[in-house]
Amino acid sequence: MEYTVKQIADLVGAKVIGDEQILISGINSLDEASPEEISFFADRRYAESLKKTKASAILVSAATDLYKGTQVLVTNPALAYARIAALFSSPAPTHSGISQRAAIHKSAVIGKGVSIFPLVYVGEKVVIGDNVILFPGVFVGDRVRIGNHTVIYPNVTIMQDCLIGNEVIIHAGSVIGSDGFGFVRDEGVNVKIPQIGMVQIDDRVEIGANNCIDRAALGKTWIKSGVKTDNLVQIAHNVVIGEDTVIVAQTGIAGSAAVGRQVVIGGQVGISDHVKIADRVMIGSRSGVPKSLSAGEVVSGTPAMPHRLWLKTRGLITRLPDLVEKLRSLEKKVEELEKRPK
Amino acid sequence: MEYTVKQIADLVGAKVIGDEQILISGINSLDEASPEEISFFADRRYAESLKKTKASAILVSAATDLYKGTQVLVTNPALAYARIAALFSSPAPTHSGISQRAAIHKSAVIGKGVSIFPLVYVGEKVVIGDNVILFPGVFVGDRVRIGNHTVIYPNVTIMQDCLIGNEVIIHAGSVIGSDGFGFVRDEGVNVKIPQIGMVQIDDRVEIGANNCIDRAALGKTWIKSGVKTDNLVQIAHNVVIGEDTVIVAQTGIAGSAAVGRQVVIGGQVGISDHVKIADRVMIGSRSGVPKSLSAGEVVSGTPAMPHRLWLKTRGLITRLPDLVEKLRSLEKKVEELEKRPK
Amino acid sequence: MEYTVKQIADLVGAKVIGDEQILISGINSLDEASPEEISFFADRRYAESLKKTKASAILVSAATDLYKGTQVLVTNPALAYARIAALFSSPAPTHSGISQRAAIHKSAVIGKGVSIFPLVYVGEKVVIGDNVILFPGVFVGDRVRIGNHTVIYPNVTIMQDCLIGNEVIIHAGSVIGSDGFGFVRDEGVNVKIPQIGMVQIDDRVEIGANNCIDRAALGKTWIKSGVKTDNLVQIAHNVVIGEDTVIVAQTGIAGSAAVGRQVVIGGQVGISDHVKIADRVMIGSRSGVPKSLSAGEVVSGTPAMPHRLWLKTRGLITRLPDLVEKLRSLEKKVEELEKRPK
């Protein structure tokens, strides 16, 4: 597909400086763009790339002398880029209709415009909304309900009784509704606590690849609307994640933890069980969070501490040998001083 | 299903104070329980919830004045809860018999009462015991043997020659018997060491979702009876895990490590290769364990240290800037003192 | 299969001391080997095992008095072991030809000698080279190209437009080409940045089980030839990994990081976004790498520091309470000294 610069500018409500009729066939970084492509300048550090780019048009927040081609002025170039990239993304690989090679229980209720690829399994009394896409290898357990416009990528497992909302995306290999990890020790042996709750995933949630979101022991594990998780994230039983919270890869959240809205959690973070993370908290990557955090706190490190304090301690850890040396030297000096006659 | 309180009490060998004939249709937490449900009081911190609960009956270890309904007296309320929850869990989603839409090699030997869902693959000379359930997307490689009453959830991969015991549960997406990570450097290039061993999983093991348990280079990787792993756990080639050990999510155990019986390993722990962890060790979450540990040790931190020491060091890390400040101030004072005439 | 010691020695270009005609049916560790097996002695620490082994022949780098059987002299016993183990590994479980129970789009182009198992999905305009093996549950998205002699294990997902080279191995459950994690905040809501790039995996790469390698936002995520990854590794969008680099389990590499050639990255490491790791760097397990590293650096710890420094600081962390005690004691002594008359 090709679009004129004018068409693109209209999409994001932008003003154009230069030739509006240039045809654009793609979007790319300043360094990689060819003359048929549009690019974007959202970060001062790329000024050199801007000077050299071959792109015929760029998205900028203010007119610039560094570039001679057509400039599309937008308030937020990153946001405009996100919207325009959608024009040029490869078409979602849909399967027309419901494959005869899927295994679908006769009691399942399936909406309009649904694509079910070959090799999908849909269990008893499942309800699937309109325009849903289920890729090959997807397992939908008994009594699961899926809303409208939701896309489930290959080899995803959704166990029985889970609820999946509208416009949800679940990437390949993720497991929703596996048993929570609950055992009682009885004379050295671990007796399983049946996990009789479920997982509820609300609208516009996006779950990365190879995530694990466990079903609740009782009640529900709850991922609220607009949450986005990266890959290999672990969410234990009875966890609640608030609206529009973002969780980066390989983070684990232990049982019954409650995370607020618009929280940002970096990669490889661990959050202990029953901890409460209030709204808009930011947690740096690789932090260990043993205790609850108040609204708006910005923390890093293990144990999690104010981010500024952590920036200091982080450096000091590498200076520990030096500090020990200084301490030893002081001890000797004090010993000498103590020997002086009073 | 509904049960009288008497039926429930008899199941766990409990004494009842109050009306034994009340009908119970579920089990729930104190806060969430409705009048048709039973709940449990196993932790003093929930005394307020106990006063307000709507549950018609509760499991307690000793009669309490805080609650007016029927009390079921049990030695271990958590254990009784586990047993009673099994009454109310949703029925295991079984497929009646062996699906025509599974791909099963003609040389496979399959026991009685087995459920094989559509979209399962069973390889050459596989032996499957009685009452096994294989969910859609399960791959069972050549010559694998699976015991009785074992449940393999969707999209699990079991590579060739592995042995799976009786009453084993493997949650969705886990990979058993992938190649161990072994290479020899030869002039900068990594030459693969063929991994010709296998994985043996003994009776009553439960493996979480999206685990990876690698086959041995030679011999076997061995998960002994009663072991329970949470999600996203990595177990490398030739590791041995002792009976009834518990491993929480996202932990990794490197090659040839040997873990004893009844060990408890928290989440996001790393255990180095060839390390020996003796029986009943407890390892706190996020610990890094570079060295062997003796029976009964309780450790935390990186590097793993006695848990009590770690509780101290953990706090001191955040005080490092303060300590450096104090050290500097002392240095100045000592310098001044040294200037004094002897 | 059985081989004479001579046949085995010829394979690795070795000289034999002792009986060359002994028949060997397997390779095993010194402790586990039976008389029909060959073993290897590559590490002095196993001298006791060498004395007791039942193996009829061993690989050694120099003739030894500790062993009475046939000795096969090789420059690099570990490398010779890797080559010989390949003789005794169980045959790759191939499916003869292309299963009627796979779902293959009619526009796909498939080479000679290809095995496609049942329950595989191959999308539109896919191109598959010669002698490729696709196991059950594999998903190959539209327009994916796969080279010759590549093996894709069960339940692997390869999303649209990705390129997979020759002699590549991808272990079970891995996801190649899922969307990179890119969002722009717009009034508290996360707007998805379409990920319109792809993943390119070059020749002789081996990817472990349950890995996630995200497609690029623009351009490509690039795994260069000879790279080996262990299990549960996360590689984010636009990352580049150089030739023959090795990445151990549960490591995560954030967006746009660039890793050089012949780098060794331990397990559970985190590498921050946009960081550059030069050639032949070695990163110890569990390190956190927030900054770029120069060629040949050897680092460990969080934050990553020279390995030798980390060996010191690691021990000092456990001594922090002791250091604080010493500091306090010094403070008191200095206070006393200051009280002395000048």
Side-chain angles (χ1 to χ4, degrees):
Chain A
M1 283 294 286
E2 286 185 326
Y3 302 87
T4 62
V5 169
K6 182 169 187 342
Q7 286 174 312
I8 289 170
D10 287 352
L11 176 75
V12 294
K15 194 184 146 190
V16 177
I17 303 177
D19 183 352
E20 292 192 333
Q21 295 308 321
I22 298 171
L23 280 174
I24 299 294
S25 64
I27 188 164
N28 216 333
S29 63
L30 291 166
D31 288 344
E32 302 288 336
S34 65
E36 301 77 36
E37 293 179 314
I38 191 168
S39 192
F40 51 95
F41 180 60
D43 185 336
R44 282 275 130 203
R45 287 177 294 180
Y46 295 103
E48 279 309 305
S49 296
L50 178 60
K51 287 183 198 167
K52 295 178 193 158
T53 187
K54 292 174 185 158
S56 292
I58 55 161
L59 303 166
V60 279
S61 55
T64 171
D65 287 343
L66 303 173
Y67 177 74
K68 300 297 168 200
T70 296
Q71 301 187 20
V72 179
L73 304 185
V74 290
T75 328
N76 183 345
L79 183 59
Y81 156 54
R83 299 230 160 103
I84 294 163
L87 290 180
F88 299 109
S89 60
S90 62
T94 58
H95 181 270
S96 52
I98 297 171
S99 170
Q100 294 296 320
R101 302 177 79 168
I104 301 175
H105 196 275
K106 59 182 190 295
S107 60
V109 177
I110 295 173
K112 295 173 197 163
V114 168
S115 289
I116 300 186
F117 278 73
L119 311 173
V120 166
Y121 178 89
V122 174
E124 265 188 74
K125 297 180 188 166
V126 165
V127 178
I128 294 177
D130 297 340
N131 302 306
V132 164
I133 306 177
L134 304 182
F135 277 79
V138 167
F139 171 86
V140 182
D142 297 346
R143 299 174 299 281
V144 165
R145 301 172 74 96
I146 299 177
N148 302 320
H149 296 284
T150 283
V151 180
I152 316 285
Y153 282 108
N155 294 320
V156 165
T157 296
I158 305 174
M159 297 301 294
Q160 74 278 2
D161 298 305
C162 292
L163 294 178
I164 312 291
N166 302 298
E167 295 173 55
V168 169
I169 298 170
I170 304 181
H171 288 283
S174 282
V175 176
I176 312 297
S178 43
D179 282 351
F181 195 64
F183 298 91
V184 184
R185 275 270 163 120
D186 184 31
E187 297 174 8
V189 169
N190 304 295
V191 177
K192 184 176 175 69
I193 300 174
Q195 304 290 302
I196 62 183
M198 53 91 170
V199 176
Q200 178 179 326
I201 293 181
D202 290 346
D203 299 346
R204 295 181 306 283
V205 166
E206 183 165 347
I207 302 293
N210 282 345
N211 277 219
C212 295
I213 305 182
D214 277 352
R215 66 194 311 107
L218 297 166
K220 65 190 175 196
T221 303
W222 192 3
I223 314 297
K224 294 189 181 177
S225 62
V227 167
K228 313 292 178 186
T229 73
D230 199 347
N231 302 330
L232 292 164
V233 168
Q234 152 71 1
I235 297 181
H237 50 184
N238 293 85
V239 165
V240 178
I241 310 283
E243 291 84 350
D244 301 310
T245 282
V246 167
I247 304 174
V248 180
Q250 295 181 315
T251 281
I253 303 181
S256 300
V259 176
R261 322 167 50 125
Q262 297 183 18
V263 171
V264 177
I265 305 177
Q268 298 184 332
V269 166
I271 297 180
S272 296
D273 58 284
H274 291 86
V275 158
K276 290 189 196 324
I277 309 294
D279 297 346
R280 294 179 309 284
V281 163
M282 298 183 72
I283 303 175
S285 59
R286 293 174 70 78
S287 300
V289 183
K291 289 184 187 166
S292 295
L293 295 170
S294 309
E297 281 196 74
V298 179
V299 301
S300 286
T302 302
M305 60 192 90
H307 184 73
R308 289 185 159 208
L309 174 57
W310 171 79
L311 286 175
K312 283 185 198 161
T313 57
R314 182 170 77 152
L316 294 177
I317 285 171
T318 66
R319 282 185 47 209
L320 273 176
D322 178 43
L323 296 178
V324 170
E325 202 49 59
K326 280 187 174 154
L327 194 61
R328 252 184 229 146
S329 153
L330 264 185
E331 282 177 324
K332 272 182 200 156
K333 284 178 181 170
V334 168
E335 209 173 323
E336 287 305 312
L337 284 167
E338 284 179 326
K339 281 180 194 159
R340 291 188 187 178
K342 299 193 182 180
Chain B
M1 283 293 288
E2 286 185 327
Y3 302 88
T4 62
V5 168
K6 182 168 189 339
Q7 285 174 312
I8 288 170
D10 287 352
L11 176 74
V12 294
K15 194 184 147 190
V16 177
I17 302 176
D19 183 353
E20 292 192 334
Q21 295 308 321
I22 299 171
L23 281 174
I24 298 295
S25 64
I27 188 164
N28 216 332
S29 63
L30 291 167
D31 289 344
E32 301 288 335
S34 65
E36 301 77 36
E37 293 180 314
I38 192 167
S39 191
F40 51 95
F41 180 61
D43 185 337
R44 281 275 129 204
R45 287 176 296 177
Y46 294 104
E48 280 309 304
S49 296
L50 179 61
K51 288 183 197 167
K52 294 179 193 159
T53 187
K54 291 174 184 158
S56 292
I58 57 162
L59 304 166
V60 279
S61 55
T64 171
D65 287 343
L66 303 174
Y67 176 73
K68 301 296 167 200
T70 295
Q71 301 187 21
V72 180
L73 304 186
V74 290
T75 328
N76 184 343
L79 183 59
Y81 157 54
R83 299 230 160 104
I84 294 163
L87 290 180
F88 299 109
S89 61
S90 63
T94 57
H95 182 270
S96 51
I98 297 170
S99 170
Q100 293 297 318
R101 303 176 79 169
I104 301 176
H105 196 275
K106 59 182 191 293
S107 61
V109 176
I110 295 173
K112 295 173 195 163
V114 168
S115 289
I116 300 186
F117 278 73
L119 312 174
V120 166
Y121 179 90
V122 175
E124 266 187 72
K125 297 181 188 166
V126 165
V127 178
I128 294 177
D130 298 339
N131 302 306
V132 164
I133 307 178
L134 304 181
F135 278 78
V138 166
F139 171 86
V140 182
D142 296 346
R143 300 174 299 281
V144 166
R145 302 172 74 97
I146 299 177
N148 302 319
H149 296 282
T150 283
V151 179
I152 315 285
Y153 282 108
N155 294 320
V156 165
T157 297
I158 305 174
M159 297 303 293
Q160 74 278 2
D161 298 306
C162 293
L163 293 179
I164 313 290
N166 302 298
E167 296 173 56
V168 169
I169 298 171
I170 304 179
H171 288 283
S174 283
V175 176
I176 313 298
S178 42
D179 282 351
F181 195 65
F183 298 91
V184 183
R185 275 267 164 123
D186 184 30
E187 296 174 8
V189 170
N190 305 295
V191 177
K192 182 175 177 70
I193 300 174
Q195 304 290 303
I196 62 183
M198 54 91 169
V199 176
Q200 178 178 326
I201 294 181
D202 290 346
D203 298 346
R204 294 181 307 283
V205 166
E206 184 165 347
I207 301 293
N210 281 346
N211 278 219
C212 295
I213 304 182
D214 277 352
R215 66 194 312 106
L218 296 166
K220 65 189 173 195
T221 303
W222 192 3
I223 314 298
K224 294 190 181 176
S225 62
V227 167
K228 312 292 178 186
T229 73
D230 199 347
N231 302 329
L232 293 163
V233 168
Q234 152 72 0
I235 296 180
H237 50 183
N238 293 86
V239 165
V240 177
I241 310 283
E243 291 85 349
D244 301 310
T245 282
V246 167
I247 304 173
V248 180
Q250 295 181 314
T251 281
I253 302 181
S256 300
V259 176
R261 324 168 49 127
Q262 297 183 16
V263 171
V264 176
I265 305 177
Q268 298 184 332
V269 167
I271 296 180
S272 296
D273 60 284
H274 291 86
V275 158
K276 290 190 195 325
I277 309 294
D279 297 345
R280 294 179 310 284
V281 163
M282 298 182 73
I283 302 175
S285 58
R286 293 174 71 76
S287 301
V289 184
K291 289 184 187 165
S292 295
L293 297 170
S294 309
E297 279 196 76
V298 180
V299 301
S300 285
T302 302
M305 60 193 89
H307 184 73
R308 288 186 160 208
L309 174 57
W310 172 78
L311 286 174
K312 283 184 199 162
T313 57
R314 182 170 78 152
L316 294 176
I317 285 171
T318 66
R319 282 186 47 209
L320 274 176
D322 177 44
L323 296 177
V324 170
E325 202 48 58
K326 280 187 173 155
L327 194 59
R328 253 184 228 145
S329 153
L330 264 184
E331 282 177 325
K332 273 183 200 156
K333 285 178 180 169
V334 168
E335 209 172 322
E336 287 305 313
L337 285 165
E338 285 179 326
K339 282 181 192 159
R340 290 186 187 181
K342 298 194 184 181
Chain C
M1 282 295 287
E2 287 186 326
Y3 302 87
T4 62
V5 169
K6 181 167 187 343
Q7 286 174 311
I8 290 170
D10 287 352
L11 176 74
V12 294
K15 193 183 147 189
V16 177
I17 303 177
D19 184 353
E20 291 191 334
Q21 296 308 319
I22 298 171
L23 281 174
I24 298 294
S25 64
I27 189 164
N28 216 332
S29 63
L30 291 167
D31 290 343
E32 302 287 335
S34 66
E36 301 77 35
E37 293 179 313
I38 191 167
S39 191
F40 51 96
F41 180 61
D43 185 338
R44 281 276 130 204
R45 288 176 296 179
Y46 295 103
E48 280 309 304
S49 296
L50 178 61
K51 287 184 198 167
K52 294 177 192 158
T53 187
K54 292 174 184 159
S56 292
I58 56 160
L59 304 166
V60 279
S61 55
T64 171
D65 287 344
L66 303 174
Y67 176 75
K68 301 297 167 199
T70 295
Q71 301 187 21
V72 179
L73 303 186
V74 290
T75 328
N76 183 344
L79 183 59
Y81 156 55
R83 299 229 160 105
I84 294 163
L87 290 179
F88 299 109
S89 59
S90 62
T94 58
H95 181 270
S96 51
I98 297 170
S99 170
Q100 294 297 318
R101 302 177 78 168
I104 301 175
H105 197 276
K106 59 182 189 295
S107 60
V109 177
I110 296 173
K112 295 173 196 163
V114 168
S115 289
I116 300 186
F117 279 72
L119 312 173
V120 166
Y121 179 90
V122 174
E124 265 187 74
K125 297 180 189 166
V126 165
V127 178
I128 294 177
D130 297 340
N131 302 305
V132 165
I133 307 177
L134 304 181
F135 277 79
V138 166
F139 171 87
V140 182
D142 296 347
R143 300 174 298 281
V144 166
R145 301 172 74 96
I146 299 178
N148 301 319
H149 297 283
T150 283
V151 179
I152 315 284
Y153 283 108
N155 294 320
V156 165
T157 297
I158 304 173
M159 297 302 294
Q160 74 278 2
D161 298 305
C162 292
L163 294 178
I164 313 291
N166 302 299
E167 295 174 56
V168 169
I169 298 171
I170 304 180
H171 288 283
S174 282
V175 176
I176 313 299
S178 43
D179 282 351
F181 195 64
F183 298 92
V184 184
R185 276 268 163 122
D186 184 29
E187 297 175 7
V189 170
N190 303 295
V191 176
K192 183 174 176 71
I193 300 174
Q195 303 290 303
I196 63 184
M198 55 91 170
V199 176
Q200 178 178 325
I201 294 181
D202 289 346
D203 298 347
R204 295 181 307 285
V205 166
E206 183 165 347
I207 301 294
N210 282 345
N211 277 220
C212 295
I213 304 181
D214 277 351
R215 66 194 313 105
L218 297 166
K220 65 189 173 194
T221 303
W222 191 3
I223 314 297
K224 294 189 180 176
S225 63
V227 167
K228 313 292 178 185
T229 73
D230 199 347
N231 302 330
L232 292 163
V233 168
Q234 152 72 359
I235 296 180
H237 48 184
N238 293 86
V239 165
V240 177
I241 310 282
E243 290 85 349
D244 301 311
T245 281
V246 167
I247 304 174
V248 181
Q250 295 181 314
T251 281
I253 302 181
S256 300
V259 176
R261 323 169 48 127
Q262 296 183 18
V263 171
V264 176
I265 305 176
Q268 298 185 332
V269 167
I271 296 180
S272 296
D273 58 285
H274 291 86
V275 157
K276 289 189 196 325
I277 309 294
D279 297 346
R280 294 178 310 284
V281 163
M282 298 183 72
I283 303 175
S285 58
R286 294 174 70 78
S287 300
V289 183
K291 289 183 188 166
S292 295
L293 297 170
S294 308
E297 280 196 74
V298 179
V299 300
S300 285
T302 303
M305 60 192 90
H307 184 74
R308 289 186 159 206
L309 174 56
W310 172 78
L311 286 174
K312 284 184 197 161
T313 57
R314 181 169 79 152
L316 294 177
I317 284 171
T318 67
R319 281 186 48 209
L320 273 177
D322 178 43
L323 296 177
V324 170
E325 202 49 58
K326 280 186 174 156
L327 194 61
R328 252 183 228 145
S329 153
L330 264 184
E331 282 177 326
K332 273 183 199 155
K333 284 179 180 168
V334 168
E335 209 173 322
E336 286 306 310
L337 285 166
E338 284 179 325
K339 282 180 192 159
R340 291 187 187 179
K342 298 194 182 179

